[in-house]
């Protein structure tokens, strides 16, 4: 009975577990008993392990269970050996020692906890410096960078997306309805132009093959999507907002999540259920291939920028030292900068303002970089920044008026030296991997397919309803729009860092809607997850991107870009 429940809980998590072998389920059941965990708790831990460490797997085997068991054993031994108030740590520290982190701002600590944290900062700093810039993986390792390696010739950054509105908390019901309606209508209009046919109302019976357009929903509010609970919601203009069940059993492949706007080729025999044969969720972008490009290098790092047990911001210092040595033209920093999830901030162990921490610890250290290099610093906020607006999309941070510093909205589409970059600090990969269901006829790279959903939906956050940690304000939805196809898409995440290419396909149906002769055009995009600069109290990763000038108009970004994922 336990094994049956365990398998059911796994299948609710992901379609990867649909054909999970019986011996694997039995082994997981034994592991839950040995570890003294409830079945639901073990399923959560195992799914997290598979998502982070086995992201390319399309099935589960006993080796995965063994690796999971070894990892849990290591974590258990560490938790037993570590104590926050261990006597040896208290003996090592100097409780009366002045704390340079915050006392330099004119404050006096009354808690020995912060002094204890500061006493360990020397060990933390040496840990970051020992790995500073170690190469972990490379995309296009054979490519030689043809630009200036001394950070010279910095150009202006062109912001392509619309300016984020300053007002928020106007997220009314009518605005939410209008936002969703406009997304569906945009897809309907694009599909009709691309395929030269009218979109059929989803609530009207249709015995012949037709095109339907709408938003993916779950039939039960608050529940997770599964192949049997998929609902398609039509537009008010075309379908009067009707909802019908979507039968995906005849589709050979699909990748869907709540809020996704799709076009479906299929039949609706009764008017209550669409039998889908093909899913279309991509509209062609208009790409300016004649744009002049120049070579440049760029370092991309995503916060947190300090270790979890102090507010010394040593990881940021180590990153700046790397930039002073390598001299990239651009340093792109993605928040959080003053992280709401930091233990000291969450427990109220600081007696300075959040703005002071940002000004002194972030901008103060960046000033040293400005003095030593010509590197252009771009800062993009996060919804986890306690010193900034939490509503997403976010306006730019308040940064000093400096020619080498620029604050941009979250998200933003920018152009630098002819290359278009899309960037957002929202962890889209983690959000979508929890909600997406998929079916594929062959092996698919899960991370790049998740990232490409941003491109195919033309939105930096196409999921609706949003994740619990995303305070989506549809009144600012114009900033979410992907106004141009980026050649490089930055999607920072808690998941493993990577740099991989993906293609965006535009499909055109033949005149009789048979789907036999699909014409496809492909545009290449490099998806980059730089990882987090710090992970708890340990060093994380960042990305160093090298882009060469176009040799010809048709040369794709994948042939002229090298990405290094480096350990801090």
């Amino acid at each position: 009975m336990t094994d049956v429940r365990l398998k059911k809980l796994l299948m609710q998590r992901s379609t990867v577990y649909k054909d999970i072998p019986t011996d694997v389920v039995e082994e997981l059941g034994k592991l839950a008993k040995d570890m003294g965990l409830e079945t639901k708790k073990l399923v959560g831990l195992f799914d997290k392990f598979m998502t982070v460490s086995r992201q390319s797997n399309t099935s589960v085997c006993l080796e995965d269970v063994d690796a999971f068991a070894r990892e849990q054993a290591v974590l258990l031994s560490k938790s037993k050996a570590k104590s926050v108030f261990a006597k040896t740590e208290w003996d090592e520290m100097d409780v009366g020692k002045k704390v340079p982190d915050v006392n330099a701002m004119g404050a006096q600590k009354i808690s020995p906890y912060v002094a204890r944290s500061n006493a360990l900062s020397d060990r933390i700093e040496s840990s970051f410096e020992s790995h500073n810039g170690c190469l972990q993986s490379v995309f296009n390792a054979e490519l030689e960078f043809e630009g200036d390696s001394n950070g010279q010739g910095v150009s202006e950054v062109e912001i392509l997306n619309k300016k984020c509105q300053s007002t928020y908390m106007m997220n009314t019901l009518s605005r939410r309805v209008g936002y969703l309606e406009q997304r569906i209508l945009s897809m309907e209009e694009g599909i009709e132009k691309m395929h030269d046919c009218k979109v059929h109302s989803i609530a009207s019976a249709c015995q012949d093959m037709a095109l339907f357009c709408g938003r993916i929903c779950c039939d039960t509010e608050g529940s997770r999507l599964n192949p049997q609970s998929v609902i398609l919601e039509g537009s008010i203009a075309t379908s009067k907002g009707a909802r019908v069940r979507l039968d995906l059993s005849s589709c050979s492949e699909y990748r869907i999540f709540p809020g996704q706007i799709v076009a479906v080729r299929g039949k609706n025999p009764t008017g209550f259920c669409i039998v889908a044969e093909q899913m279309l969720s991509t509209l062609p972008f208009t790409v300016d291939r004649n744009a002049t490009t120049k070579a440049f290098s760029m370092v991309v790092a995503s916060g947190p920028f300090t270790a979890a047990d102090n507010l010394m911001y040593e990881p940021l210092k180590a990153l700046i030292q790397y930039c002073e040595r390598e001299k990239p033209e651009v340093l792109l920093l993605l928040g959080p900068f003053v992280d709401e999830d930091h233990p000291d901030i969450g427990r109220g162990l600081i007696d300075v303002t959040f703005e002071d921490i940002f000004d002194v610890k972030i901008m103060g250290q960046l000033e040293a970089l400005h003095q030593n290099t010509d590197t252009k610093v771009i800062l993009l906020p996060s919804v986890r920044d306690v010193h900034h607006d939490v509503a997403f999309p976010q306006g730019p941070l308040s940064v000093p008026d400096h020619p080498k510093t620029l604050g941009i909205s979250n998200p933003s589409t920018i152009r630098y030296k002819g290359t278009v970059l899309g960037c957002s600090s929202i962890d889209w990969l983690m959000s979508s991997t929890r909600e997406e269901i998929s079916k594929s006829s062959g092996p698919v790279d899960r991370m790049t397919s998740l990232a490409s959903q941003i491109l195919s939906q033309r939105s930096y956050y196409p999921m609706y309803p949003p994740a619990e940690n995303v305070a989506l304000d549809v009144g600012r939805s114009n900033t979410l729009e992907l106004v141009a196809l980026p050649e490089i898409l930055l999607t920072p995440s808690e998941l493993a860092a990577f740099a991989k290419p993906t293609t965006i396909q535009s499909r055109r149906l033949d005149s009789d809607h048979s789907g036999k002769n699909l014409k496809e055009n492909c545009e290449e995009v490099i998806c980059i997850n730089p990882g987090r600069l710090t992970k708890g109290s340990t060093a994380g990763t960042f990305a160093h991107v090298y882009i060469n000038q176009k040799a010809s108009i048709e040369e794709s970004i994948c042939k002229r870009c090298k990405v290094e994922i480096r350990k801090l």
Side-chain angles (χ1 to χ4, degrees):
M1 184 66 181
T2 304
D3 292 345
V4 174
R5 183 169 181 266
L6 196 151
K7 185 175 182 179
K8 183 179 179 180
L9 289 172
L10 284 170
M11 290 178 65
Q12 289 176 356
R13 290 270 178 171
S14 173
T15 53
V16 173
Y17 308 113
K18 182 179 180 181
D19 300 319
I20 185 171
T22 305
D23 55 344
V24 173
V25 177
E26 292 175 352
E27 191 65 27
L28 283 171
K30 293 178 183 177
L31 189 60
K33 187 176 181 180
D34 295 341
M35 295 174 65
L37 294 175
E38 295 181 0
T39 304
K40 190 173 182 179
K41 177 69 174 175
L42 178 91
V43 167
L45 292 172
F46 183 69
D47 183 57
K48 181 179 179 181
F49 167 79
M50 292 295 295
T51 301
V52 175
S53 304
R54 298 289 191 274
Q55 51 184 255
S56 60
N57 283 25
T58 56
S59 60
V60 186
C61 59
L62 286 173
E63 287 77 7
D64 297 325
V65 180
D66 293 339
F68 169 70
R70 289 194 298 270
E71 181 183 273
Q72 292 302 309
V74 171
L75 293 174
L76 183 63
S77 63
K78 285 184 178 180
S79 64
K80 287 182 178 179
K82 183 178 179 181
S83 175
V84 175
F85 297 102
K87 184 177 180 180
T88 55
E89 290 188 4
W90 280 96
D91 291 341
E92 289 175 1
M93 76 175 187
D94 181 4
V95 179
K97 183 179 178 181
K98 185 178 180 181
V99 186
D101 176 31
V102 199
N103 286 356
M105 304 179 198
Q108 183 177 1
K109 284 292 172 190
I110 60 174
S111 170
Y113 172 82
V114 180
R116 176 180 60 81
S117 298
N118 185 65
L120 302 177
S121 64
D122 291 340
R123 279 181 284 174
I124 296 167
E125 180 178 357
S126 62
S127 172
F128 289 124
E129 290 180 349
S130 63
H131 297 97
N132 195 1
C134 292
L135 191 63
Q136 279 201 329
S137 62
V138 189
F139 169 73
N140 260 359
E142 68 284 354
L143 186 71
E144 292 292 333
F145 180 52
E146 300 171 355
D148 190 347
S149 59
N150 294 321
Q152 303 296 321
V154 177
S155 301
E156 290 298 318
V157 177
E158 182 183 357
I159 300 175
L160 303 180
N161 56 295
K162 298 177 182 178
K163 185 178 180 181
C164 186
Q165 299 176 7
S166 57
T167 58
Y168 56 95
M169 296 183 70
M170 300 293 290
N171 204 14
T172 61
L173 179 60
S174 59
R175 282 195 173 190
R176 292 198 294 270
V177 172
Y179 163 69
L180 297 173
E181 175 74 1
Q182 185 56 46
R183 289 191 61 206
I184 300 175
L185 290 177
S186 296
M187 173 64 86
E188 286 184 1
E189 182 181 354
I191 287 292
E192 287 178 350
K193 287 181 179 179
M194 187 168 70
H195 302 303
D196 194 23
C197 63
K198 291 290 290 183
V199 170
H200 198 277
S201 171
I202 67 171
S204 300
C206 182
Q207 305 293 332
D208 301 322
M209 199 64 65
L211 274 176
F212 305 91
C213 189
R215 177 172 69 99
I216 297 294
C217 305
C218 183
D219 61 1
T220 306
E221 185 177 355
S223 298
R224 280 197 162 184
L225 204 63
N226 64 69
Q228 287 73 44
S229 66
V230 182
I231 297 291
L232 190 67
E233 178 186 84
S235 66
I236 298 174
T238 304
S239 306
K240 298 182 181 180
R243 288 186 170 192
V244 298
R245 187 166 297 278
L246 188 61
D247 183 356
L248 299 172
S249 58
S250 299
C251 279
S252 60
E253 55 182 39
Y254 57 82
R255 304 190 74 90
I256 57 175
F257 56 86
Q260 183 180 11
I261 309 299
V262 298
V264 179
R265 190 177 71 86
K267 300 177 181 179
N268 188 0
T270 63
F272 300 102
C273 179
I274 296 175
V275 181
E277 292 193 6
Q278 188 177 28
M279 304 286 288
L280 306 169
S281 60
T282 303
L283 292 177
F285 275 91
T286 302
V287 181
D288 183 9
R289 292 183 174 272
N290 298 314
T292 303
T293 62
K294 294 182 180 179
F296 69 94
S297 67
M298 173 179 64
V299 170
V300 182
S302 177
F305 294 95
T306 187
D309 50 7
N310 69 84
L311 286 167
M312 300 297 293
Y313 283 84
E314 295 295 345
L316 178 61
K317 180 181 177 182
L319 179 68
I320 290 175
Q321 290 173 350
Y322 175 85
C323 292
E324 289 176 344
R325 184 172 69 249
E326 298 297 328
K327 294 181 172 58
E329 283 191 32
V330 178
L331 170 60
L332 177 56
L333 300 178
L334 310 171
F337 298 96
V338 187
D339 189 6
E340 67 177 5
D341 292 339
H342 192 282
D344 286 7
I345 293 174
R347 296 170 188 169
L349 296 176
I350 61 172
D351 52 8
V352 293
T353 65
F354 303 137
E355 290 78 8
D356 285 344
I357 295 177
F358 178 76
D359 291 340
V360 175
K361 290 300 180 181
I362 301 293
M363 301 311 301
Q365 293 198 56
L366 291 176
E367 184 61 33
L369 178 65
H370 293 329
Q371 294 174 0
N372 298 327
T373 69
D374 291 326
T375 300
K376 181 92 172 182
V377 179
I378 304 174
L379 298 98
L380 184 145
S382 166
V383 293
R384 286 163 52 182
D385 276 317
V386 291
H387 69 298
H388 194 55
D389 296 339
V390 70
F392 179 77
Q394 298 172 287
L397 291 164
S398 297
V399 297
D401 187 9
H402 194 287
K404 297 179 184 177
T405 304
L406 175 66
I408 60 176
S409 302
N410 175 30
S412 280
T413 306
I414 61 176
R415 180 185 285 120
Y416 186 76
K417 289 193 171 182
T419 300
V420 180
L421 302 97
C423 41
S424 171
S425 60
I426 286 289
D427 193 344
W428 165 252
L429 297 178
M430 183 65 80
S431 296
S432 56
T433 196
R434 290 170 175 167
E435 300 294 338
E436 186 192 60
I437 61 171
S438 62
K439 177 182 178 182
S440 178
S441 55
V444 176
D445 187 283
R446 191 179 185 190
M447 291 299 104
T448 54
S449 65
L450 291 173
S452 64
Q453 295 281 23
I454 294 176
L455 305 172
S456 62
Q457 291 289 291
R458 295 194 178 190
S459 172
Y460 282 103
Y461 199 84
M463 186 182 296
Y464 196 90
E468 292 182 356
N469 62 340
V470 179
L472 181 64
D473 189 342
V474 298
R476 295 176 164 191
S477 58
N478 59 337
T479 312
L480 288 175
E481 183 183 352
L482 211 62
V483 294
L485 178 65
E487 295 170 277
I488 294 178
L489 180 65
L490 301 172
T491 56
S493 175
E494 300 287 349
L495 301 177
F498 66 85
K500 298 177 181 178
T502 186
T503 56
I504 295 301
Q505 301 176 345
S506 60
R507 301 181 175 183
R508 185 182 181 88
L509 289 170
D510 48 0
S511 57
D512 62 358
H513 292 239
S514 66
K516 296 179 180 179
N517 300 310
L518 289 174
K519 297 180 181 179
E520 299 185 354
N521 294 319
C522 296
E523 294 291 342
E524 290 184 319
V525 178
I526 298 178
C527 301
I528 302 175
N529 170 21
R532 301 294 185 186
L533 196 65
T534 54
K535 296 181 178 180
S537 297
T538 60
T541 57
F542 63 94
H544 197 154
V545 185
Y546 301 88
I547 299 176
N548 286 334
Q549 185 173 345
K550 278 185 180 180
S552 65
I553 293 178
E554 295 298 324
E555 186 177 33
S556 70
I557 186 66
C558 292
K559 294 181 179 178
R560 59 187 182 90
C561 178
K562 178 170 76 172
V563 183
E564 299 174 345
I565 302 296
R566 291 186 172 272
K567 180 85 170 180
L568 186 63

